[in-house]
Amino acid sequence: MTSILRKAALCAAIGLAGVSTAASAATLKIGTEGGYPPWSMVDASGKVTGFDADIGNTLCERLEMKCRFVAQAFDSLIPALQAERFDLVISGMSVTAERAKAIAFSIPYATEDSAFVLPKDSPLIDAPDQETIFKGLAGKTIGVQGGTTQGAFLQKFAPGITLKTYETQDQMQIDLSSGRLDGTFSEVTPQSQFLKKAGDQQFAMAHHVIKSSAAPEVLGLGIGAGINQKNVELKKKIDTALCAMIADGTVKSSSEKWFGVDLSNYQACP
């Protein structure tokens, strides 16, 4: 074989090796709701977008893995993770002690507060504290998303409020707009997105925002990625990558793109 032929053969072998490596790259399957803008949404082509999609895709890049998102109802994500149908849950999920009985969590990479959206003429818009809001909403019907910490919070601290549970934020907001609810309770960012989309003629966000720190045992310690408790090594890799993403501003950049504010949890890493 001539020198030129040997070089050609070597280049071909290297090229095939590169193709083989790319083709055999491990896949990280990520469970997400896909109906919780701007955290996660599914577009017309079936692609998952949003803040958590950015987080997931960046994790895959840094772990040199392929990403595959699986969209399904929020309240089914933890059982599916336990059944090993995917490797991670990245879906605006708060880290709570109750959930940690079933799954492991990454470091909380973001923080988020909660608020009520009510009719714009409600006197509770200007309520000074949560006790005033709870008293004013006694006997009223408030929409919450199933499986969320917001629903658990109201069940514990505002038993006088009647809760109506929805599979998605969209369903809940449609009922609010149609007059079938007296208000909704959710995280600030999706509530803000709803008001931005619907306009501010009918509804407004209550000025009193309920901080997660008000009841961390229910509202959680921040937003983290859910991981199967068996997968100790993956948790270590995810934690390392997320800490680097917080430190280098990746989480900040994506957060500001989707929310207009920085939700990075700078206290999560040493």
Side-chain angles (χ1 to χ4, degrees):
M1 182 181 290
T2 67
S3 175
I4 292 175
L5 288 176
R6 280 197 298 271
K7 288 180 180 178
L10 179 59
C11 288
I14 292 171
L16 287 173
V19 170
S20 174
T21 300
S24 61
T27 297
L28 193 65
K29 292 176 67 177
I30 301 174
T32 194
E33 180 186 346
Y36 193 55
W39 291 82
S40 70
M41 304 85 76
V42 180
D43 65 19
S45 68
K47 180 181 178 181
V48 177
T49 64
F51 174 65
D52 275 333
D54 283 2
I55 297 297
N57 282 317
T58 304
L59 283 172
C60 289
E61 289 173 10
R62 299 198 179 194
L63 297 179
E64 298 183 343
M65 300 176 77
K66 296 179 181 177
C67 261
R68 180 185 167 195
F69 288 94
V70 181
Q72 60 186 59
F74 184 84
D75 58 6
S76 70
L77 290 172
I78 288 179
L81 180 64
Q82 290 178 298
E84 300 182 46
R85 292 178 192 158
F86 30 74
D87 306 299
L88 289 178
V89 168
I90 304 182
S91 194
M93 184 172 283
S94 298
V95 180
T96 69
E98 187 63 29
R99 288 172 177 161
K101 294 176 184 177
I103 62 173
F105 278 102
S106 71
I107 59 103
Y109 55 88
T111 58
E112 177 71 303
D113 300 321
S114 302
F116 288 90
V117 164
L118 303 166
K120 193 172 184 179
D121 59 359
S122 171
L124 298 176
I125 295 295
D126 296 317
D129 50 48
Q130 67 184 40
E131 288 73 20
T132 302
I133 297 176
F134 294 165
K135 183 177 180 180
L137 292 177
K140 304 287 188 181
T141 301
I142 297 297
V144 294
Q145 189 172 3
T148 61
T149 54
Q150 286 73 32
F153 176 80
L154 292 185
Q155 283 181 324
K156 180 172 183 178
F157 294 103
I161 295 176
T162 299
L163 299 184
K164 188 171 182 181
T165 303
Y166 295 84
E167 185 173 306
T168 68
Q169 289 274 318
D170 282 346
Q171 293 169 351
M172 179 175 79
Q173 291 160 353
I174 287 170
D175 266 13
L176 177 64
S177 297
S178 301
R180 291 187 285 268
L181 290 173
D182 298 301
T184 60
F185 185 59
S186 183
E187 291 173 325
V188 168
T189 50
Q191 297 282 56
S192 298
Q193 288 289 311
F194 165 69
L195 291 173
K196 183 178 179 180
K197 181 174 64 177
D200 58 0
Q201 300 305 308
Q202 273 188 284
F203 305 102
M205 191 182 302
H207 297 159
H208 179 76
V209 171
I210 296 176
K211 301 282 187 182
S212 296
S213 57
E217 73 282 6
V218 180
L219 292 174
L221 303 172
I223 307 297
I227 306 167
N228 191 296
Q229 290 176 337
K230 300 176 185 177
N231 212 334
V232 178
E233 287 305 311
L234 179 61
K235 173 176 162 50
K236 291 178 182 177
K237 292 177 181 178
I238 296 295
D239 282 348
T240 299
L242 285 173
C243 282
M245 289 162 61
I246 292 171
D248 67 18
T250 299
V251 175
K252 177 180 185 289
S253 176
S254 180
S255 174
E256 289 178 339
K257 177 179 79 174
W258 290 104
F259 305 116
V261 294
D262 183 9
L263 299 184
S264 303
N265 185 0
Y266 294 102
Q267 310 304 314
C269 303

